[in-house]
Amino acid sequence: MKDFINFLYRNHSLAYKLILFISTTFLIVYLFPKSGKFKYNFEKGKPWQSENLYAPFDFAIKKTDDEIKAEKKEITDKANLYFNVELGVVDRVISEYKSEFKLELPDSLVTSNKTHLYNLGLNIIDKLYVNGVLDEDYAFAEGKKAILLEGRTEKQTVRYSDLIKQNNIKDILTSQLAKEGFMQFQKPFIALFFEVIEPNLSYDKAFTEKALQSDLEKISFTRGSVEKGTLIISKGEVVEGDKYQKLKSLESEYESQVWTKSNYYWIVFAYTLLVSLALLMLLLFLRKYRNDIFENNTKVTFIFFNVFLMVFITTLVVNYNSQYIYVVPICILPLVLKAFFDARLGLFSHVITVLLLGSIVPNSYEYMFLQIIAGIVTILTVSELYKRANLFISVGQITLIYIIAYFAFFVIHEGSVETLKWETFGMFVLCGLATLFVQPLIYAYEKLFGLVSDVSLLELSDTNTKLLKELSNKAPGTFHHSLNVANLAEASANEIGANAMLVRVGALYHDIGKMMNPTYFTENQSTGINPHDELSSKESAKVIIDHVINGIEIAKKNNLPDRVIDFIRTHHGTSLVYYFYMKEKEIDDSIDKNQFKYPGPKPFSKETAILMMCDSVEAASKSLKEPTSSKIDAFVENIINKQMVDEQFLNANITFKEIQSIKKVLKHKLANIYHLRIEYPE
């Protein structure tokens, strides 16, 4: 047990990566749909590329959306209208008519005419209430069927046009009076009817809608079926019409059928294999080509977190409405990784993420093509992210590529631009605007994961920062030396393709530890008094060596990033404080050499190695007397070769060719500083 614990302790970094790998895999698999996936890709109007396809099981042929829509419209148009009949209204109307007739009609009317007119009114009332009088005029088609209900029981069925509307009553009365020759009594007779007539029909909206919904629910979403073993489509046949609908039905059946517990576990297992394979490729890439990142668990966690975040957001959008899939700014991933690491890692991670998303998005080939092309454009166009204009220009280019690629796919699928979905272009624009969110996201990541981007490096390179201001006030000579080293280091980094911004910032801050005892360093001794004259060689060496330790403490106190602190740690490596060592050796030949060595570590990157070379060359160049081109060449060669002999660059991934390029830059720069002309042979 003890051995096992020791083994875990020795390999805790790998154990952490294994846990991260497993947890990320299961989180992504949890988000994936747990259904079968149709293994064939097909497009409407295009030839079937696979072998002859036979039905693997019995399945129903689904109707198209247009067919279902047409059926719903037909049912809605033919739906019955339901009206409630109010009982007792007819009896009440007749009773009021009888009593009001005597009051409204003149007594001078001849008895026979009066009786005839009285009976005419009763006949008209009977005709009005044969079907019923509506309480208001509804905007329904005249030919629709109306069902009259008495206490929820169907009384009779008529056409809606047969129901009497109140604004038609006057026309009916006038027509009947004219037919019987009683037009002279039109005014009092119509006035009488408008006093006594009451509506007895009211529209039952709730019951009508319930009946309509019941009819709509009876719609069948399938038409016919395909038996197992039936040929669905042959190789080379064009996918269209009924064949297209059968293929869509089979695809839908694969994705929606109810799976047994055994099938479910197999699908989860298969998804786990695919996801773990993709994430394993990402880990292997880091292990082989970005080992410094692989060894840093925080950075590996950061990369896996961003991959999972893109999958998570895309899954949410697909589950809500897959039409909005292109609003998700996937290109933020390569932007973020390029800002913190490099373009190659950004593109590789982007491709892995898009491959994972291909399992959950519709039209996976189209989606993957668009996103990979957009990712490549992102990597190729976005440079110097700290410049705001560059980001806006790049986002515009990414959006344009989305639009062009989508347009091409649409024309290929549909064969024309008549039905082009312009709203999709709007989604690409929204995606571009969302991509601009990368700037605040990078800032948040810097705080959460302790990473450093070019934006932060640009801020740190400002010589008006509090720490550099303090350095210029307390140790002006050191500050000037740091500026010169920064210029040399930046030029050298540009020459070999290293991170110029990082090495410049590292050079500006590498000697901040000298603020603690500025006068003990030659560049700050303006009075001609040397404090080392009062110290022993060992004490002097300790003061010189301590500027590295002091620099680290000051940097941490001022919250400088670890990547910048690395330059303070390594800019002298494990080199010797040579002057005081030789001085002490003259007194005591058995002196311990380690007492005069810097604590290290040695430079472990191209950037830290560049700083060591530039710092040594710039500092020593002040001792050159009557410099010439040949003297400068020999001087640079001697200093850097000595560092190579001391194996100071053993841990840095820098080549001999790159070192030679740096020497060339340093010689050229020093020649410019001393305003030297080319030496011509005599």
Side-chain angles (χ1 to χ4, degrees):
M1 184 65 182
K2 186 178 180 181
D3 292 339
F4 178 72
I5 293 173
N6 290 334
F7 174 79
L8 286 179
Y9 180 77
R10 288 194 304 272
N11 297 278
H12 68 279
S13 181
L14 283 175
Y16 174 82
K17 291 181 183 67
L18 180 63
I19 294 170
L20 178 67
F21 172 79
I22 294 171
S23 58
T24 307
T25 299
F26 279 102
L27 283 172
I28 292 176
V29 170
Y30 176 77
L31 296 174
F32 277 12
K34 309 302 186 298
S35 61
K37 193 168 180 68
F38 197 48
K39 63 180 178 180
Y40 299 102
N41 288 318
F42 60 92
E43 298 174 17
K44 189 175 183 180
K46 298 294 178 183
W48 178 255
Q49 300 294 332
S50 304
E51 297 298 324
N52 295 354
L53 178 62
Y54 296 89
F57 45 74
D58 296 341
F59 66 92
I61 303 172
K62 293 196 172 186
K63 295 177 182 176
T64 64
D65 292 339
D66 290 338
E67 287 175 331
I68 294 172
K69 189 176 179 181
E71 282 190 37
K72 287 183 177 180
K73 186 177 184 304
E74 184 181 359
I75 290 173
T76 303
D77 292 342
K78 292 181 178 180
N80 296 329
L81 303 173
Y82 290 86
F83 293 88
N84 291 318
V85 180
E86 186 178 347
L87 301 176
V89 171
V90 178
D91 294 336
R92 188 163 62 249
V93 168
I94 292 173
S95 176
E96 290 184 15
Y97 170 76
K98 289 177 179 179
S99 60
E100 293 293 328
F101 182 82
K102 297 176 182 179
L103 299 174
E104 294 292 336
L105 274 296
D107 294 335
S108 58
L109 191 62
V110 178
T111 303
S112 59
N113 289 340
K114 191 171 185 178
T115 302
H116 190 60
L117 188 61
Y118 175 78
N119 291 332
L120 177 63
L122 290 175
N123 289 333
I124 291 173
I125 290 173
D126 288 339
K127 288 181 180 179
L128 291 176
Y129 287 101
V130 167
N131 296 320
V133 179
L134 292 167
D135 58 348
E136 61 178 282
D137 189 6
Y138 299 98
F140 297 128
E142 294 294 327
K144 286 183 79 71
K145 192 181 293 184
I147 297 177
L148 308 184
L149 303 173
E150 285 187 358
R152 294 298 177 188
T153 303
E154 184 176 334
K155 176 187 175 186
Q156 65 183 102
T157 303
V158 296
R159 290 185 303 169
Y160 176 69
S161 58
D162 294 334
L163 303 179
I164 305 300
K165 303 171 185 63
Q166 293 191 46
N167 57 3
N168 292 336
I169 293 176
K170 183 177 179 180
D171 295 336
I172 295 171
L173 292 173
T174 301
S175 174
Q176 291 296 319
L177 289 172
K179 185 177 179 182
E180 298 295 332
F182 288 117
M183 286 301 292
Q184 66 271 30
F185 304 111
Q186 179 185 11
K187 190 174 181 180
F189 198 73
I190 290 175
L192 167 64
F193 263 78
F194 273 99
E195 284 185 18
V196 300
I197 293 298
E198 296 180 31
N200 70 329
L201 297 179
S202 60
Y203 175 56
D204 194 334
K205 183 178 179 182
F207 196 87
T208 301
E209 290 180 350
K210 185 178 179 181
L212 173 61
Q213 189 61 37
S214 177
D215 291 339
L216 291 174
E217 289 174 356
K218 294 176 183 176
I219 291 177
S220 173
F221 290 89
T222 61
R223 50 172 176 82
S225 62
V226 177
E227 294 183 0
K228 181 179 180 180
T230 305
L231 177 65
I232 298 175
I233 191 168
S234 302
K235 184 175 182 179
E237 279 192 84
V238 177
V239 180
E240 58 184 359
D242 193 51
K243 294 185 183 298
Y244 175 75
Q245 201 54 36
K246 286 180 180 178
L247 288 170
K248 291 297 290 183
S249 300
L250 181 58
E251 181 182 39
S252 177
E253 190 70 22
Y254 261 99
E255 295 177 353
S256 65
Q257 61 181 284
V258 178
W259 297 90
T260 64
K261 183 178 287 188
S262 174
N263 282 338
Y264 176 84
Y265 288 143
W266 274 112
I267 291 169
V268 171
F269 175 70
Y271 271 134
T272 303
L273 285 179
L274 290 177
V275 174
S276 59
L277 192 62
L279 294 180
L280 181 62
M281 294 304 105
L282 183 54
L283 276 177
L284 291 176
F285 174 84
L286 294 174
R287 178 69 182 83
K288 185 172 179 62
Y289 297 105
R290 300 292 183 271
N291 194 52
D292 56 326
I293 297 175
F294 181 81
E295 296 297 335
N296 189 316
N297 286 338
T298 301
K299 292 179 179 179
V300 176
T301 304
F302 173 74
I303 294 168
F304 273 61
F305 172 77
N306 276 277
V307 171
F308 171 74
L309 182 64
M310 288 297 110
V311 175
F312 176 70
I313 294 173
T314 306
T315 306
L316 288 181
V317 174
V318 170
N319 291 338
Y320 173 70
N321 190 336
S322 60
Q323 291 182 349
Y324 301 119
I325 191 67
Y326 288 114
V327 176
V328 181
I330 300 295
C331 288
I332 279 183
L333 178 64
L335 274 175
V336 167
L337 296 184
K338 184 180 179 182
F340 288 114
F341 306 116
D342 61 84
R344 190 175 178 186
L345 175 58
L347 182 59
F348 192 90
S349 302
H350 177 73
V351 171
I352 291 293
T353 305
V354 172
L355 290 175
L356 290 173
L357 293 176
S359 300
I360 61 174
V361 298
N363 300 321
S364 56
Y365 174 74
E366 175 186 319
Y367 177 86
M368 291 165 66
F369 184 91
L370 260 66
Q371 296 296 0
I372 290 175
I373 288 294
I376 293 172
V377 172
T378 302
I379 293 299
L380 293 177
T381 60
V382 179
S383 59
E384 297 177 326
L385 192 61
Y386 53 85
K387 295 181 180 178
R388 291 170 295 180
N390 286 2
L391 180 60
F392 280 97
I393 293 169
S394 297
V395 166
Q397 292 171 332
I398 294 165
T399 305
L400 181 62
I401 291 298
Y402 270 130
I403 291 172
I404 292 172
Y406 173 78
F407 175 80
F409 268 106
F410 188 88
V411 172
I412 291 170
H413 290 164
E414 302 296 330
S416 69
V417 295
E418 294 176 0
T419 56
L420 191 63
K421 298 177 181 178
W422 296 100
E423 61 270 17
T424 307
F425 293 158
M427 292 181 193
F428 290 135
V429 174
L430 289 175
C431 178
L433 294 175
T435 305
L436 295 174
F437 184 69
V438 69
Q439 286 283 21
L441 188 64
I442 286 173
Y443 177 79
Y445 279 152
E446 287 179 335
K447 301 303 178 186
L448 286 172
F449 291 91
L451 300 171
V452 183
S453 69
D454 284 350
V455 179
S456 293
L457 292 175
L458 180 66
E459 293 172 355
L460 290 170
S461 67
D462 183 3
T463 54
N464 289 314
T465 58
K466 180 183 175 183
L467 196 54
L468 292 180
K469 276 281 188 184
E470 187 180 354
L471 178 64
S472 66
N473 291 329
K474 290 184 177 179
T478 299
F479 178 72
H480 185 260
H481 159 72
S482 298
L483 286 176
N484 290 337
V485 173
N487 292 331
L488 293 173
E490 185 176 18
S492 301
N494 285 324
E495 182 69 21
I496 66 170
N499 191 331
M501 179 67 73
L502 177 62
V503 77
R504 179 175 182 82
V505 172
L508 288 173
Y509 290 90
H510 78 283
D511 269 345
I512 55 173
K514 291 182 180 179
M515 286 192 293
M516 300 287 282
N517 299 294
T519 56
Y520 284 86
F521 300 90
T522 310
E523 65 266 24
N524 300 312
Q525 294 171 359
S526 57
T527 60
I529 299 173
N530 190 344
H532 289 287
D533 294 341
E534 306 296 325
L535 303 176
S536 67
S537 297
K538 288 183 180 179
E539 290 172 332
S540 294
K542 187 177 185 309
V543 171
I544 299 298
I545 291 170
D546 281 351
H547 88 272
V548 173
I549 307 300
N550 294 334
I552 294 171
E553 291 176 356
I554 293 170
K556 288 186 175 180
K557 192 179 294 183
N558 286 270
N559 297 317
L560 287 185
D562 287 339
R563 290 178 76 186
V564 177
I565 296 175
D566 287 340
F567 287 91
I568 302 173
R569 286 193 183 99
T570 61
H571 74 278
H572 285 296
T574 57
S575 60
L576 196 65
V577 184
Y578 191 75
Y579 176 80
F580 291 109
Y581 171 71
M582 294 305 295
K583 190 177 178 181
E584 182 68 17
K585 196 172 183 180
E586 291 175 0
I587 303 170
D588 182 6
D589 192 53
S590 63
I591 185 70
D592 183 7
K593 195 174 185 179
N594 291 324
Q595 292 181 336
F596 292 84
K597 277 189 173 183
Y598 285 97
K602 296 176 181 179
F604 47 79
S605 66
K606 288 182 182 180
E607 289 77 15
T608 50
I610 289 170
L611 178 61
M612 173 178 272
M613 296 183 220
C614 295
D615 180 43
S616 301
V617 167
E618 202 286 330
S621 68
K622 298 294 189 294
S623 63
L624 278 175
K625 296 177 181 179
E626 298 181 2
T628 62
S629 293
S630 57
K631 278 186 178 180
I632 288 175
D633 289 355
F635 166 76
V636 171
E637 289 285 346
N638 182 51
I639 289 178
I640 296 179
N641 287 343
K642 187 175 185 304
Q643 291 174 336
M644 293 172 66
V645 170
D646 290 344
E647 298 183 339
Q648 294 299 322
F649 307 135
L650 197 63
N651 299 329
N653 57 336
I654 192 166
T655 64
F656 285 118
K657 182 179 179 181
E658 288 169 337
I659 292 174
Q660 288 301 116
S661 298
I662 293 168
K663 287 179 181 178
K664 185 178 177 181
V665 170
L666 293 177
K667 292 171 185 176
H668 178 70
K669 288 288 182 182
L670 287 178
N672 288 336
I673 290 171
Y674 289 108
H675 306 290
L676 297 180
R677 294 172 180 262
I678 298 173
E679 293 183 17
Y680 294 96
E682 295 181 2

